[in-house]
Every structure is written in C-alpha cells, then in structure tokens.
Amino acid sequence: MAMLNRVHLNGLRAVEAVARLGSLAAAAGELNVSVSAVSQQINRTEKQLGRALFERTPAGLVATEFGTVFTARLGAGFRELAQAVALADESSECTLVVSVAPAFASKWLLPRLSRHFARHPNVLLRIDASVRLADLDRSDINVAIRLGDGKWPGGQAELLLAQEVFPVCAPVIASKLKSIEDLALTCAITDERSMISWESWFEAAGVKPVTFMKGARFTDPMLCLESAIAGHGVMLGWQLLAADALADGRLVAPFGVRAQSGLGYWLVTSARRTKAVRSGISRSGCAKRSRRRWRSSGRSRAPAEPASTSRWKGR
C-alpha cells in the first residue's frame, strides 16, 4: 500500500478513464475536467511510475504493452472501489444483491420479479448473473443461488430443490425412440461444463449405457436446450432447465425414468455474516418462501410419467 503514496489518485483516475473510453475527450467529459487537464494528469502519472502508459499517435493515445496490463488491473481496482462506495447507497435503499447463474435467472428468477416487487416494494434487487462462484465474505453479494451438492467452503447452504435428470428431445426425435436402446441412433447434445452424467440415468433405468452418435457440444446449458428444441438430438435435462419447453410441447421426455443427480439448487450465504440481507428480511424467511415456490413450481410443471413406464426411481 505504501507504494500508492507516490502516485496521485486523480492521475490514476485519468489513466483508467482514457484506457476505458478510448480518448482524452471522452475521459474529460466523464471526469468533468478539460482535455488538457486529463493530458497533464497522464503525463504526471507516467513520470511518477517511470513507465510510459500510452503511445502518442496521430489517431490519439494507444496503450503500450505495459499500459495494457496496468490499465486492466487499474480498471478492476476502480470497479471494486465503486462497489465499495455503492454499499452506502444500497444500505439506505435496502438493496438485496443476488448472485445467480444465467440459466436460473432466466428460467426461475426473472418470471418472479414482479411478485417480489409487489410484496416487497422497498427492497430493491441487483442481480449478478454469472457462473463464477462469488466470494460471499469479501464481495457485496448478499445471497447466491447455485447448482451443486451444497458444499461450499465458508458458505451456509439451504436446499431449494433437488434436481432429477432425464432425457429430453424434440417431438420429431422422440417419435423415433421406441426403446432406450434406440438412443444409439441419435446424437447426444453435450454440455461440457455439466456436473451430471448419463451413467446415473442409465443406472436408474436399469439398462446398460448406450453409445450415442456424436452431436453438438456447448459450454452453456441454455444453448444445449435450444439445440434440443431445434431437433439436433437428445440432451440430459433437469426440471428447472426443461420445464417451460416441456410444458408448451417444444420438448418431450420420451422415457418415464428420472434419476437423482445428487445435485440441487441451493440458497447460499456467508457463514461469517450474521445477516445476509441488510434490509432486515431474514435469510431463513427468504429461503422458506423460495423453497415453497420452487417446490410448487417443480411439481406443477414436471414432465408427466408415461402410463407404460414402471421403472421410475428416485421419486
């Protein structure tokens, strides 16, 4: 920290703004100073650092190799500072910051936002839609909703809904599947980041694993879902992801067998924080309401079991 004493904060702000916005004029507008003042701040900062951050070209300032690395770190630092300052506003406005994976946000959270604001008009929400695991001890995240086994170091987790897995596909594909063995004639749509596997489903079905034809591979479950809807093959889905498409007929579950995945959606808070929600709404209260709605939604929208199937396990 002592090294920061040799560099003026205003100069670092000018450097970061120019790097992010791409010009002296844009940076001057954001900082509410003149273009010459921004230029002087950059020159002063470069002298204090003893390194050139920008090359002066006829087209404007272009970051040097060192400047590119330096401004990337600088930008991350200023974003952290902005979040720290925002805590003051959020505490007075009763803002709940929720970290959630994009698939969950799209399929479950967004349809329920109007219900939240109707019941809690004074509690604002800020949704951090990301697959990264938020640091609940050191970030401004109050609550995280994550898919997993409930074991996250330093976190307190409450189960919202256990997830079962089952094959889903477009009706045109399902019409060709007379038995589980027919899966060998179809392409598997694969999520390369998925924590679930076909082996557990084949075991629940009581049959030997089938070797699929090679199909599309993605790194996002939503893309896998869209690929299945488009008729590209069969994917291993779960309640949350497939419920809407099953309900409106875009997808079908060709077999009545479900398998326990060992995973579920969990409400996760920091074990070190005594209150995850600064607005005064208790974590346990949120969890109970969320769990009730989750289970109600899951039961009402779960794919029905075909009458001819008798090997449905893990109910």
Side-chain angles (χ1 to χ4, degrees):
M1 288 292 192
M3 295 181 63
L4 291 176
N5 294 334
R6 73 181 192 184
V7 183
H8 293 159
L9 180 60
N10 284 342
L12 294 177
R13 290 183 64 198
V15 169
E16 188 278 334
V18 170
R20 174 168 46 84
L21 299 175
S23 72
L24 289 170
E30 179 176 285
L31 298 174
N32 198 27
V33 297
S34 66
V35 171
S36 62
V38 175
S39 180
Q40 291 172 12
Q41 290 284 6
I42 290 175
N43 291 334
R44 185 178 297 113
T45 301
E46 288 180 323
K47 290 179 180 179
Q48 292 169 341
L49 293 172
R51 300 287 296 271
L53 298 173
F54 298 98
E55 294 180 1
R56 279 67 175 172
T57 72
L61 297 182
V62 178
T64 63
E65 183 176 353
F66 170 74
T68 299
V69 177
F70 180 84
T71 55
R73 292 285 186 91
L74 194 62
F78 273 109
R79 285 191 293 273
E80 289 292 329
L81 286 174
Q83 290 181 0
V85 173
L87 290 176
D89 292 334
E90 289 173 357
S91 62
S92 62
E93 294 178 349
C94 297
T95 298
L96 177 65
V97 185
V98 183
S99 174
V100 59
F104 187 93
S106 173
K107 294 297 182 181
W108 189 88
L109 188 57
L110 289 181
R112 289 164 173 79
L113 286 185
S114 58
R115 185 186 308 173
H116 163 82
F117 288 119
R119 295 181 178 181
H120 307 288
N122 296 324
V123 180
L124 304 180
L125 286 180
R126 182 159 68 82
I127 308 301
D128 176 31
S130 172
V131 295
R132 67 179 178 84
L133 189 60
D135 187 341
L136 299 177
D137 289 335
R138 298 177 178 84
S139 71
D140 60 342
I141 303 297
N142 301 125
V143 176
I145 300 176
R146 283 291 179 262
L147 176 66
D149 59 6
K151 299 176 182 178
W152 289 278
Q156 291 181 336
E158 297 184 42
L159 183 63
L160 296 178
L161 183 68
Q163 291 295 288
E164 297 172 322
V165 295
F166 45 90
V168 293
C169 60
V172 65
I173 300 294
S175 64
K176 304 175 183 178
L177 301 176
K178 306 304 180 182
S179 68
I180 293 178
E181 288 72 20
D182 289 339
L183 287 172
L185 305 177
T186 65
C187 295
I189 300 171
T190 304
D191 177 4
E192 294 183 344
R193 296 179 179 175
S194 177
M195 294 181 285
I196 61 177
S197 67
W198 278 96
E199 283 72 17
S200 62
W201 183 81
F202 284 121
E203 182 179 353
V207 300
K208 293 182 179 180
V210 170
T211 300
F212 289 88
M213 298 172 61
K214 293 183 179 180
R217 304 180 69 88
F218 302 94
T219 58
D220 184 277
M222 296 295 290
L223 293 178
C224 291
L225 184 73
E226 292 302 323
S227 182
I229 291 172
H232 298 159
V234 179
M235 74 169 290
L236 193 60
W238 57 95
Q239 298 103 303
L240 171 79
L241 187 69
D244 289 338
L246 288 167
D248 61 24
R250 289 175 296 160
L251 288 179
V252 297
F255 311 106
V257 181
R258 289 184 172 192
Q260 295 291 340
S261 67
L263 306 174
Y265 283 94
W266 298 76
L267 188 76
V268 187
T269 57
S270 170
R272 295 175 55 185
R273 293 182 178 179
T274 56
K275 291 185 179 180
V277 185
R278 292 188 298 273
S279 63
I281 297 178
S282 70
R283 174 178 53 80
S284 59
C286 290
K288 290 177 182 177
R289 283 191 293 272
S290 297
R291 191 186 301 114
R292 284 198 301 268
R293 295 171 189 172
W294 237 110
R295 289 175 176 169
S296 175
S297 175
R299 283 195 300 267
S300 64
R301 308 188 74 171
E305 175 186 3
S308 60
T309 300
S310 60
R311 292 185 305 228
W312 194 327
K313 300 182 180 180
R315 276 188 165 182

